[in-house]
Structures are given as structure tokens and as C-alpha cells.
């Protein structure tokens, strides 16, 4: 028997999952931020058909950024390899309820190939990349280091 518990922030979580707006998620440790961000990325990839290498997901720490990317990779692998829709996380299925399983598997496979080009990193690493690619001022030394 499944029991659905309504959390006080259910409406906010729903917004994070399926909003096209750029969002920041701030919450205490253990509240499900990483899972929520993985579900959001899956929604963008599977339902909105955004290529994985067009995603930007930033975390404050290296450990959090690594965990986010690893969890996203694991979910994409699960979707790409599944042979039955009911074997998937129900929340993932709910993201694209009318999509055929083969379409979801194809998008997940393509996303896995592109995931290493996605910007899933710390805020500092992303800012460093932007500054190196597009120095706003000719005085910016492209060999700078953030310490």
C-alpha cells in the first residue's frame, strides 16, 4: 500500500520540478535537494527535450556537485536500460506520462552521451569557465585562479 504524505512545501517542490524559470533551491541538509534537482533535470531532458549539454546545475561545494552529477547519471542509466515502464521511479514516469518508453530510453541514452558536457559543477568552477571563455574586461588575466 502506498502512502502519500503531503509535505508543507509540496507546491514549491512541484514548481522546482516543472518550471521553465531559472530557480535557486536552498534548504537544509537531508531535505531532498539533490533528488529534487535530479528530477528537474530529468523533466527538462525527457519531457521538455532539452539536450543534457545545455543544462546548468550549480552547487556550492564540490562534493554536492559531484553527487548531483552521479545521481543524474544513475537515473539516466536506469531509464536507458529499463525494459518496463513500471520498473522506473514513479516520479520519473509522472514527468512524461504519455511518452512511449522507447522515446524516454532514447532521450536518456542521448543525455548520457552529452552529460559530461553539461555544466554540473560548483558556482566557482562555472564562473571560472565563463570568465575564461568570455573575459568581460581586457585586463582579466585568463590564467587567474580562485582560491
Amino acid at each position: 500500500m502506498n502512502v502519500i504524505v503531503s509535505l508543507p512545501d509540496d507546491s514549491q517542490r512541484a514548481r522546482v520540478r516543472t518550471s521553465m524559470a531559472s530557480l535557486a533551491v536552498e534548504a537544509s541538509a537531508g531535505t531532498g535537494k539533490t533528488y529534487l534537482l535530479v528530477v528537474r533535470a530529468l523533466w527538462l531532458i525527457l519531457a521538455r527535450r532539452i539536450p543534457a549539454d545545455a543544462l546548468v546545475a550549480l552547487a556550492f561545494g564540490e562534493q554536492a556537485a559531484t553527487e548531483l552529477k552521479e545521481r543524474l547519471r544513475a537515473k539516466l542509466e536506469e531509464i536507458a536500460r529499463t525494459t518496463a515502464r513500471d520498473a522506473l521511479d514513479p516520479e520519473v514516469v509522472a514527468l512524461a506520462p504519455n511518452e512511449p518508453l522507447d522515446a524516454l530510453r532514447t532521450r536518456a541514452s542521448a543525455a548520457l552521451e552529452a552529460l559530461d558536457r553539461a555544466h554540473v559543477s560548483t558556482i566557482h568552477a562555472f564562473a571560472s569557465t565563463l570568465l575564461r571563455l568570455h573575459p568581460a574586461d581586457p585586463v582579466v588575466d585568463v590564467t587567474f585562479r580562485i582560491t
Side-chain angles (χ1 to χ4, degrees):
M1 173 168 147
N2 291 336
V3 177
I4 299 174
V5 178
S6 180
L7 299 173
D9 64 346
D10 269 353
S11 64
Q12 293 163 328
R13 288 175 184 265
R15 180 169 182 236
V16 170
R17 283 184 198 99
T18 59
S19 172
M20 285 302 291
S22 295
L23 299 170
V25 176
E26 180 183 358
S28 300
T31 57
K33 290 181 303 293
T34 303
Y35 177 77
L36 185 60
L37 292 174
V38 167
V39 170
R40 177 180 174 77
L42 291 172
W43 176 72
L44 290 168
I45 293 165
L46 301 174
R48 302 299 298 177
R49 301 177 186 185
I50 306 284
D53 54 2
L55 296 180
V56 174
L58 305 177
F60 284 103
E62 188 63 44
Q63 184 177 357
T66 299
E67 183 176 351
L68 177 57
K69 196 168 206 172
E70 287 173 356
R71 286 198 199 177
L72 180 56
R73 184 180 311 282
K75 281 291 186 187
L76 288 168
E77 288 172 348
E78 175 187 317
I79 296 164
R81 292 182 180 142
T82 193
T83 56
R85 192 179 191 89
D86 60 352
L88 294 173
D89 178 341
E91 193 158 4
V92 171
V93 173
L95 297 173
N98 300 319
E99 290 291 328
L101 181 58
D102 284 343
L104 296 177
R105 291 176 61 196
T106 299
R107 285 188 212 126
S109 294
L112 281 167
E113 292 177 20
L115 189 58
D116 287 331
R117 295 186 305 273
H119 294 284
V120 181
S121 65
T122 65
I123 294 169
H124 288 94
F126 184 67
S128 294
T129 299
L130 289 178
L131 287 171
R132 283 186 175 81
L133 291 174
H134 309 286
D137 185 333
V139 179
V140 173
D141 178 1
V142 295
T143 62
F144 71 91
R145 294 186 67 176
I146 294 179
T147 57

